[in-house]
């Protein structure tokens, strides 16, 4: 297997020179680029809202998208330990970005909902992130964007089915 630092920085459809179909080199590029993407995402999250980690932003977004959810739903969706989710929820509550409401069907269950401040923080960070993507991808064609979006959806769908 090729060392990740020696992997190509661009990807073409050419067959690799070592006689393989290039899969190993592609895996190296994918690993390196996803790592770089993850690091940029964490750094961007800190700039967008210094009090919210990338994980907190993701949890807040999911709570909003689901029109409220339980902590166990968050843990299951993101494959996180319940204690990790609990710490993140506590931090979001202390910041006044989420609140708990009893489930109308079962008063023993607490459902998390974003507060007005939470929605404002979420909308602000999402708008800033969207603007950054638009700037970074400005010279991509619509076809390039569609291919990238489909590939991400396919990758995440494969990840979800492998995790279950």
């Amino acid at each position: 297997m090729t060392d990740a630092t020696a992997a190509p920085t661009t990807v073409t459809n050419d067959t690799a020179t070592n006689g393989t179909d290039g899969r190993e080199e592609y895996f190296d590029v994918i690993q390196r680029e996803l790592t770089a993407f993850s690091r940029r995402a964490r750094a961007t999250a800190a700039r967008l809202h210094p009090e919210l980690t990338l994980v907190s932003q993701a949890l807040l977004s999911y709570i909003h998208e689901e029109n409220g959810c339980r902590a166990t739903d968050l843990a299951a969706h993101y494959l996180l330990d319940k204690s990790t989710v609990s710490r993140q929820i506590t931090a979001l509550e202390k910041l006044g970005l989420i609140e708990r409401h009893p489930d109308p069907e079962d008063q023993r269950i607490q459902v998390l909902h974003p507060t007005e401040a939470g929605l404002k923080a979420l909308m602000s960070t999402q708008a800033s992130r969207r603007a950054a993507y638009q700037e970074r991808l400005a010279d991509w064609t619509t076809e390039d964007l569609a291919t990238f979006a489909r590939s991400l959806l396919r990758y995440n769908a494969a990840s979800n089915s492998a995790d279950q």
Side-chain angles (χ1 to χ4, degrees):
M1 185 157 112
T2 306
D3 179 19
T5 59
T9 56
T10 60
V11 177
T12 66
N13 290 331
D14 297 339
T15 303
T17 57
N18 65 5
T20 68
D21 65 358
R23 291 178 67 83
E24 292 301 317
E25 289 84 358
Y26 293 148
F27 288 136
D28 289 342
V29 170
I30 291 165
Q31 177 183 347
R32 185 182 64 244
E33 295 305 313
L34 285 176
T35 299
F37 178 85
S38 176
R39 287 181 179 147
R40 273 193 312 276
R42 283 191 303 270
T44 299
R47 281 194 314 276
L48 295 178
H49 197 294
E51 297 173 312
L52 283 180
T53 66
L54 182 61
V55 172
S56 293
Q57 288 179 26
L59 297 181
L60 182 59
S61 179
Y62 186 80
I63 292 166
H64 173 63
E65 290 167 8
E66 294 296 311
N67 294 317
C69 67
R70 299 171 302 158
T72 55
D73 298 330
L74 291 169
H77 180 75
Y78 288 107
L79 302 174
L80 294 171
D81 184 81
K82 290 178 187 178
S83 64
T84 300
V85 172
S86 178
R87 284 190 302 275
Q88 295 293 333
I89 288 170
T90 298
L92 289 169
E93 283 180 312
K94 285 182 180 178
L95 291 169
L97 302 178
I98 63 169
E99 57 193 5
R100 298 172 193 253
H101 297 283
D103 186 323
E105 296 174 18
D106 186 344
Q107 298 290 311
R108 297 169 297 169
I109 297 173
Q110 295 291 305
V111 179
L112 305 168
H113 292 276
T115 63
E116 190 65 35
L119 290 175
K120 285 181 183 177
L122 184 60
M123 296 307 128
S124 174
T125 57
Q126 287 178 340
S128 295
R129 192 173 290 117
R130 177 182 289 268
Y133 287 141
Q134 289 172 334
E135 181 180 329
R136 177 168 279 195
L137 304 172
D139 63 341
W140 288 33
T141 66
T142 301
E143 183 180 332
D144 288 342
L145 293 172
T147 299
F148 187 47
R150 281 192 302 272
S151 294
L152 287 172
L153 288 167
R154 183 177 174 194
Y155 175 78
N156 283 328
S159 294
N160 289 340
S161 63
D163 295 333
Q164 294 176 356

